[in-house]
Amino acid sequence: MARAISTRRKIGMTALAWVVGLLIFFPILWTILTSFKSELDAISIPPKFLFFDWTTENYVAIQEQRNYFAFLMNSIYLALGSTFVGLCFAIPAAWAMAFSPTRRTKDVLLWMLSTKMMPAVGALVPVTILFRNFGLLDTRFGLIMILFLINLPIIVWMLYTYFKEIPVDILEAARMDGANLRKELTQVLAPMAIPGIASTILLNVILAWNEAFWTLLLTTTDAAPLSAFIASFSSPQGNFYAKLSAASTLAIAPILIIGWFSQKQLVRGLTFGAVK
Amino acid sequence: MATTQTKSVARLMMTPSVIVLFIWMIVPLFLTLYFSTLRYGFYNPETPFVGFENYTYFLTDPRFLSAFQNTLLLVFGVLCITIIGGILIALLLDQEVFGQTIVRLLVIAPFFVMPTVAALVWKNMMMNPVYGVIGQMLNAVGIGSVDWLTNLPLTSIIIIVAWQWLPFSVLILLTALQSLSQDQKEAAEMDGAGALSIFFYITLPHMKRAITVVILIQTIFLLSVYAEIAVTTGGGEASSNLPFLIASIISLEGDVGTASAGGIVAVIVANIVAFLLIRVVGKNLEG
């Protein structure tokens, strides 16, 4: 009897969970479906759910807009560039804080995080003016620097929480066994540090890819990433729903997939290990 | 292990990050403060010192009051939806259900959608009064569609932003829930505790820390919402928040002085909110 109730309960819960899941996912599902419709089907009343003539013409049309590739390349450059620069700064810092902590290490970490408390708009005016004066507006270099700076505190923290978990004993044991510095780094430490570094790269790529405040305000065309390209569809004459959907699908697909794969690490990264 | 040598190496390794972050914090703040005391526009060559004039001008601008209210309403509204909704959905996903992994992927998906895409999808395909799915459904059941973004701009933006942040809250609350030991719950059940009292006396206190983290992190990001407003309503008294108002003062009016004063006001507001948050909820983070 108890078993029957629990099975019924499980089925009920399953139904409820799927309804909630599909409701939350619906806007994304709808965008993907719309991207395969003709413009006419996209605005049909009542809406066509699955029974329409599936077409890939929107994707072709988006590709043919030659500058789409320029935006895509900008997104890739900005995400990878800011991640690379960020790691160059953050790995040594996090490493030092995790392995040679001093009494002030925690203060330094908290101070770094506090720079995130400063709202972006507080820095907007001087950054805009400096960018104007130095000719950095709408350049990839300028934007990479901004994205690097806004994400640096987060990736230092994230790396720190990962490095902190590497047991120092292992390093000492290796030293006892006569490992030299090169061996120590490549054979003992790197294998344990790499998973943390990989998760950090993913998080930074996601944050940089989706960043919208600075990219909308500091770029127009040359350095504008997909996020800004999509925003240009908001003008009233640009309401091509199917093409907007195709462009949106292409812009969110890579990050959605990366995000799905790295959800566990993201919890750690975004909460600095405070929630387990 | 920490010899004097490794200590100085460590200091050397930290220096670049500390220096760039210090510059990133102090230079914009200093320049914003400085510009806020000048009558400085892109289109006039002279920049005389005017003291607090920009502040008076900004604070007495009726757009400031509405932007200030909208900023707080947006943060508060989104937090309410994502915390309450997040707890309920996390409880649901903590149950044993068929296809758990897939449901979980569906629920967290919106977090990875870039803000401009999220805003446009909702604006055009969900909330549009003619073609939007919500409108058509409401029409079908005879309630009649609403022109969301025209008539309820702030509510609409709150819905869009909450949709984006709900997954974050679910993900973190669920992680916390799963670390709750079953023994404790079973023991309570043995003692005859009902589902509700288990929730309020065991589950909720266990999630306190996670809820705190969600509130702190979301508040930092929600104070800076920009793209969703830029793409959906393009501002206006009913939906501009502080970041949007200040960004439009500089980009449309080229008024550096007033925008700087606004920037300082925004920094102060953010710090007051952060201070209150840490006082009120930050205690939970200890221990």
Side-chain angles (χ1 to χ4, degrees):
Chain A
M1 190 61 201
R3 208 188 167 83
I5 290 172
S6 82
T7 314
R8 204 179 305 154
R9 184 188 147 98
K10 191 171 170 181
I11 290 170
M13 283 297 172
T14 301
L16 189 60
W18 275 88
V19 168
V20 170
L22 285 172
L23 270 181
I24 292 177
F25 190 68
F26 184 75
I28 300 174
L29 179 67
W30 193 247
T31 307
I32 299 172
L33 287 174
T34 307
S35 74
F36 291 106
K37 292 175 186 174
S38 65
E39 289 295 350
L40 215 58
D41 278 342
I43 55 169
S44 83
I45 300 173
K48 294 185 176 172
F49 193 63
L50 286 171
F51 304 104
F52 53 85
D53 292 324
W54 290 66
T55 168
T56 51
E57 64 182 27
N58 302 305
Y59 287 94
V60 177
I62 289 288
Q63 309 294 332
E64 276 166 1
Q65 275 192 323
R66 265 193 353 150
N67 55 4
Y68 171 81
F69 270 106
F71 292 110
L72 175 69
M73 287 314 287
N74 282 337
S75 271
I76 295 174
Y77 267 106
L78 296 178
L80 296 184
S82 67
T83 305
F84 177 74
V85 181
L87 286 180
C88 290
F89 278 78
I91 290 177
W95 192 264
M97 288 195 261
F99 288 105
S100 310
T102 59
R103 271 180 296 124
R104 294 180 50 203
T105 300
K106 265 263 136 67
D107 296 338
V108 175
L109 273 168
L110 280 175
W111 168 76
M112 282 187 169
L113 200 58
S114 74
T115 62
K116 289 293 298 178
M117 293 282 184
M118 167 135 149
V121 73
L124 176 67
V125 179
V127 168
T128 310
I129 290 177
L130 290 172
F131 269 43
R132 268 168 79 109
N133 293 346
F134 290 104
L136 287 170
L137 280 177
D138 208 10
T139 62
R140 284 174 184 166
F141 175 78
L143 214 50
I144 284 177
M145 286 302 121
I146 294 290
L147 294 178
F148 148 64
L149 286 166
I150 58 173
N151 291 332
L152 183 61
I154 292 183
I155 69 175
V156 169
W157 260 92
M158 187 167 176
L159 285 170
Y160 170 79
T161 54
Y162 273 106
F163 289 164
K164 196 85 191 138
E165 279 170 20
I166 296 176
V168 182
D169 306 353
I170 290 184
L171 192 63
E172 278 167 0
R175 279 190 190 152
M176 293 285 203
D177 292 342
N180 58 20
L181 185 67
R182 200 174 58 85
K183 264 204 172 137
E184 219 177 276
L185 282 176
T186 56
Q187 290 178 7
V188 185
L189 292 174
M192 286 185 289
I194 281 171
I197 295 176
S199 311
T200 309
I201 291 176
L202 292 180
L203 178 69
N204 202 62
V205 165
I206 293 173
L207 290 175
W209 188 274
N210 287 347
E211 164 61 32
F213 180 79
W214 293 103
T215 51
L216 286 182
L217 287 168
L218 297 179
T219 65
T220 44
T221 46
D222 293 347
L226 285 171
S227 183
F229 172 69
I230 302 281
S232 69
F233 275 88
S234 70
S235 55
Q237 67 271 35
N239 274 342
F240 298 109
Y241 289 1
K243 281 181 198 68
L244 165 66
S245 298
S248 299
T249 305
L250 287 177
I252 64 175
I255 294 305
L256 191 54
I257 292 164
I258 294 178
W260 274 341
F261 275 112
S262 57
Q263 41 165 321
K264 279 234 171 64
Q265 292 89 313
L266 284 177
V267 176
R268 272 185 67 155
L270 285 166
T271 62
F272 317 113
V275 175
K276 295 215 168 83
Chain B
M1 168 142 179
T3 59
T4 341
Q5 197 203 346
T6 58
K7 261 191 188 148
S8 59
V9 172
R11 211 164 283 148
L12 209 65
M13 286 161 79
M14 278 166 57
T15 313
S17 295
V18 172
I19 289 177
V20 294
L21 277 177
F22 186 70
I23 294 174
W24 169 240
M25 193 168 77
I26 211 74
V27 170
L29 198 59
F30 180 78
L31 284 175
T32 311
L33 264 174
Y34 172 63
F35 293 151
S36 73
T37 62
L38 305 176
R39 182 175 300 139
Y40 181 176
F42 281 151
Y43 311 109
N44 49 320
E46 307 229 330
T47 55
F49 177 81
V50 291
F52 287 104
E53 193 185 281
N54 289 318
Y55 288 90
T56 328
Y57 182 71
F58 181 77
L59 292 170
T60 52
D61 186 335
R63 290 181 302 172
F64 161 70
L65 203 63
S66 58
F68 179 69
Q69 284 172 351
N70 291 341
T71 307
L72 297 184
L73 281 174
L74 181 63
V75 174
F76 185 72
V78 174
L79 279 179
C80 284
I81 299 175
T82 56
I83 299 291
I84 296 171
I87 290 175
L88 293 176
I89 295 173
L91 284 172
L92 180 64
L93 294 187
D94 193 38
Q95 311 283 324
E96 251 184 78
V97 300
F98 298 107
Q100 206 160 24
T101 329
I102 299 171
V103 175
R104 199 174 153 146
L105 293 182
L106 294 180
V107 170
I108 63 170
F111 188 59
F112 306 115
V113 174
M114 56 176 67
T116 51
V117 168
L120 276 182
V121 165
W122 276 89
K123 178 189 178 188
N124 291 315
M125 268 111 71
M126 298 293 126
M127 292 172 165
N128 183 297
V130 183
Y131 305 116
V133 177
I134 300 178
Q136 295 204 29
M137 289 221 275
L138 291 179
N139 272 332
V141 294
I143 299 176
S145 73
V146 183
D147 189 350
W148 290 89
L149 285 158
T150 311
N151 298 331
L152 299 165
L154 190 63
T155 314
S156 308
I157 290 167
I158 290 176
I159 293 173
I160 298 172
V161 177
W163 177 75
Q164 290 179 275
W165 281 96
L166 186 62
F168 174 77
S169 153
V170 171
L171 201 55
I172 292 187
L173 297 174
L174 184 59
T175 309
L177 260 186
Q178 286 172 343
S179 70
L180 177 61
S181 82
Q182 289 302 313
D183 302 353
Q184 215 180 347
K185 267 197 331 208
E186 273 163 23
E189 267 167 22
M190 296 275 211
D191 292 343
L196 271 182
S197 47
I198 291 183
F199 173 74
F200 281 109
Y201 292 108
I202 297 176
T203 316
L204 204 56
H206 178 78
M207 286 201 285
K208 216 162 66 178
R209 188 188 176 91
I211 294 172
T212 309
V213 169
V214 172
I215 294 176
L216 283 174
I217 291 175
Q218 283 193 178
T219 306
I220 294 176
F221 285 92
L222 293 175
L223 281 171
S224 301
V225 166
Y226 175 80
E228 291 83 347
I229 298 171
V231 171
T232 53
T233 63
E237 202 125 307
S239 65
S240 283
N241 62 356
L242 282 176
F244 194 88
L245 175 62
I246 294 161
S248 54
I249 289 178
I250 187 168
S251 61
L252 297 179
E253 297 160 32
D255 187 347
V256 177
T258 307
S260 301
I264 295 298
V265 171
V267 170
I268 294 171
V269 169
N271 277 291
I272 292 173
V273 172
F275 178 78
L276 289 178
L277 272 178
I278 287 169
R279 282 307 288 275
V280 178
V281 291
K283 285 181 298 198
N284 295 335
L285 276 176
E286 302 294 326

